Amino acid sequence: MVLRSMDGNAKASLTKYADIISTVEFNHTGELLATGDKGGRVVIFQREQESKNQVHRRGEYNVYSTFQSHEPEFDYLKSLEIEEKINKIRWLPQQNAAYFLLSTNDKTVKLWKVSERDKRPEGYNLKDEEGRLRDPATITTLRVPVLRPMDLMVEATPRRVFANAHTYHINSISVNSDYETYMSADDLRINLWNFEITNQSFNIVDIKPANMEELTEVITAAEFHPHHCNTFVYSSSKGTIRLCDMRASALCDRHTKFFEEPEDPSNRSFFSEIISSISDVKFSHSGRYIMTRDYLTAKVWDLNMENRPVETYQVHDYLRSKLCSLYENDCIFDKFECVWNGSDSVIMTGSYNNFFRMFDRNTKRDVTLEASRENSKPRAILKPRKVCVGGKRRKDEISVDSLDFSKKILHTAWHPSENIIAVAATNNLYIFQDKVN
């Protein structure tokens, strides 16, 4: 797969904290791409229609709608500020002309409707042309209102607000395959919501111990099975994954399956527990596998084999010798996400220095690519990058000591059916696609 940069305005470049991208998500068709940032904004990009005179030029992504999803709040009971940062966005499948998406910050999930308007009604009976109410005594005739064309407007309106259900920070939301329910997970609990009911949710997982001093792990990510509405998984800071079945009991404190890889005693170190914490878990589109990402590796697990992963990919093993300095600058706590391509044959995840990694599950080949200003010129082809550890450095290699740990790719997304990827590098969004011959 040869990737090249796409055209379009889908590359922002401001350096304010509020502009740092915190989540990226394609919708079910791949026509729309949503990003959330630390300033609480959601920006939606839409793929342009292919032009007839340039058949080989696939549509570029341009800004479609921008709206403020969350505002900063203050919890007076706990004297805590609640950040407006968007933690996750999830799209609902499109049922009509409008689009629906869920967005969440640390405490509140919102359901947004994004719709287009290109006509406006004129000729009201009770209002004048300025919109002021008319005196009923002056109305002598009845008019039939008509719809007049107007410039296209894209409106985002909040349809539901799901609040006050989480004591801890929400780290995941996942829409169920029944499209009637979704779940939200925080450090210790997972709640099940119905889209129509905002004032109550159902607690399906609770790992909070009676005595908080006995707390040994927290929930780090959770996701529904893509086809079975009764099944979901959640990962923990101890590097374990639990598969739960909601048919077994109302409170899924007992898991159906427990995935854990036994630790190699020879690799044990002070950092073992920190780097084994799982930062992301994703079902494959087929529902047969789950992928997890911890600090140094991405792993693929078969749902039928709990004792070890079927595939383990080293994302940046050269950092093993740097764990001490990564601990001191807090980078060791970075939460990298991982994604599948549409056919589940390739997985992608981010690294430092604006590098991102792709692993082909069939050929076992892997590649390191860089998202940067230099290679983001339209139609520029991405060249594979290599990191050298000690010894002589070749001309095209970069030394592990000169990696920039402030440049990191935590959030990525893959188009559901095509080889188009979106990569969030701090406050820039890069969109790359497979080279068209």
Side-chain angles (χ1 to χ4, degrees):
M1 182 168 154
V2 181
L3 286 177
R4 63 171 180 76
S5 181
M6 283 183 93
D7 293 354
N9 335 343
K11 209 167 82 263
S13 59
L14 294 159
T15 46
K16 294 189 301 222
Y17 171 83
D19 296 309
I20 295 173
I21 297 171
S22 52
T23 183
V24 187
E25 191 78 10
F26 279 102
N27 75 339
H28 292 258
T29 61
E31 291 306 299
L32 298 180
L33 169 67
T35 65
D37 65 23
K38 291 194 173 180
R41 283 185 306 268
V42 172
V43 180
I44 300 174
F45 299 93
Q46 184 182 44
R47 199 175 184 189
E48 298 298 322
Q49 297 301 312
E50 291 178 27
S51 51
K52 291 192 176 75
N53 53 355
Q54 292 172 304
V55 183
H56 292 297
R57 278 195 65 165
R58 297 196 232 173
E60 313 296 351
Y61 285 86
N62 292 309
V63 175
Y64 175 64
S65 174
T66 303
F67 59 93
Q68 188 72 28
S69 173
H70 287 69
E71 301 280 358
E73 296 171 56
F74 192 78
D75 184 334
Y76 291 97
L77 287 173
K78 297 196 180 74
S79 294
L80 281 178
E81 282 186 42
I82 301 166
E83 269 194 300
E84 64 272 40
K85 173 189 162 214
I86 308 290
N87 292 343
K88 285 281 184 290
I89 289 173
R90 291 288 179 264
W91 290 91
L92 276 69
Q94 194 177 358
Q95 310 287 354
N96 51 33
Y99 303 99
F100 288 88
L101 60 90
L102 285 173
S103 66
T104 184
N105 67 347
D106 285 341
K107 297 287 180 193
T108 306
V109 184
K110 294 183 180 181
L111 174 68
W112 289 89
K113 177 186 180 182
V114 181
S115 53
E116 294 182 356
R117 236 183 23 169
D118 59 359
K119 292 183 177 66
R120 68 166 182 270
E122 277 184 10
Y124 286 111
N125 287 291
L126 299 176
K127 291 179 185 171
D128 62 19
E129 300 311 320
E130 262 66 66
R132 291 187 296 262
L133 282 173
R134 293 166 64 185
D135 179 4
T138 63
I139 301 171
T140 54
T141 56
L142 286 179
R143 297 188 289 178
V144 178
V146 290
L147 290 171
R148 297 249 186 266
M150 59 177 262
D151 291 341
L152 179 69
M153 252 177 71
V154 181
E155 293 178 317
T157 47
R159 298 308 300 266
R160 305 268 190 283
V161 177
F162 306 90
N164 307 322
H166 285 277
T167 311
Y168 308 97
H169 291 177
I170 298 172
N171 55 46
S172 305
I173 47 175
S174 178
V175 178
N176 202 346
S177 58
D178 62 10
Y179 304 131
E180 290 178 10
T181 55
Y182 77 91
M183 69 177 170
S184 55
D186 67 25
D187 294 344
L188 298 180
R189 295 191 179 102
I190 300 176
N191 292 333
L192 181 70
W193 300 84
N194 186 300
F195 278 110
E196 300 302 319
I197 303 165
T198 59
N199 59 355
Q200 67 183 115
S201 61
F202 195 78
N203 183 220
I204 50 174
V205 172
D206 186 348
I207 64 165
K208 185 180 180 181
N211 179 3
M212 279 296 269
E213 287 177 6
E214 293 167 10
L215 182 69
T216 56
E217 63 181 334
V218 293
I219 298 166
T220 54
E223 189 177 64
F224 269 119
H225 190 282
H227 313 303
H228 304 310
C229 61
N230 52 282
T231 311
F232 66 93
V233 292
Y234 68 92
S235 58
S236 89
S237 56
K238 273 195 162 174
T240 61
I241 309 112
R242 290 172 175 84
L243 179 90
C244 300
D245 188 338
M246 292 191 288
R247 295 172 301 186
S249 69
L251 192 61
C252 302
D253 284 359
R254 287 214 184 98
H255 45 265
T256 308
K257 291 191 174 184
F258 183 75
F259 301 86
E260 183 178 31
E261 186 172 26
E263 190 187 26
D264 181 357
S266 62
N267 278 344
R268 180 104 188 115
S269 75
F270 169 76
F271 305 108
S272 295
E273 278 190 29
I274 303 172
I275 64 172
S276 66
S277 175
I278 292 172
S279 54
D280 197 16
V281 60
K282 293 266 171 63
F283 272 105
S284 61
H285 295 83
S286 67
R288 167 80 189 267
Y289 300 98
I290 41 181
M291 168 168 50
T292 59
R293 172 70 210 262
D294 56 45
Y295 191 66
L296 294 177
T297 64
K299 293 172 181 166
V300 175
W301 303 75
D302 188 317
L303 284 192
N304 302 321
M305 192 164 91
E306 298 168 60
N307 59 341
R308 62 188 170 86
V310 286
E311 298 155 31
T312 300
Y313 300 100
Q314 300 296 334
V315 178
H316 37 216
D317 203 45
Y318 46 78
L319 295 183
R320 217 174 266 281
S321 60
K322 298 251 173 275
L323 292 178
C324 201
S325 54
L326 290 163
Y327 178 75
E328 285 168 5
N329 65 13
D330 278 353
C331 284
I332 201 166
F333 301 106
D334 285 333
K335 292 176 169 54
F336 291 96
E337 294 173 7
C338 52
V339 286
W340 301 87
N341 72 338
S343 60
D344 297 334
S345 60
V346 182
I347 64 174
M348 173 172 66
T349 189
S351 179
Y352 293 103
N353 209 68
N354 280 358
F355 288 168
F356 57 99
R357 305 267 284 135
M358 288 183 172
F359 303 93
D360 190 310
R361 298 179 59 213
N362 301 324
T363 63
K364 299 302 176 203
R365 288 194 312 201
D366 64 275
V367 66
T368 302
L369 299 166
E370 182 182 7
S372 71
R373 286 289 188 75
E374 291 69 54
N375 57 25
S376 67
K377 296 180 182 72
R379 317 282 147 198
I381 290 176
L382 296 192
K383 294 185 180 69
R385 301 298 308 263
K386 279 201 168 57
V387 177
C388 97
V389 187
K392 277 192 173 175
R393 184 166 67 88
R394 291 208 189 105
K395 187 175 70 130
D396 58 341
E397 289 183 336
I398 181 167
S399 161
V400 68
D401 296 315
S402 56
L403 293 174
D404 187 343
F405 293 109
S406 66
K407 293 179 176 172
K408 53 191 93 168
I409 289 175
L410 303 176
H411 315 287
T412 56
W414 204 308
H415 189 289
S417 55
E418 295 181 42
N419 278 336
I420 296 176
I421 58 167
V423 174
T426 320
N427 55 335
N428 293 307
L429 177 69
Y430 297 93
I431 300 181
F432 303 109
Q433 71 174 20
D434 206 354
K435 187 171 144 227
V436 188
N437 295 323

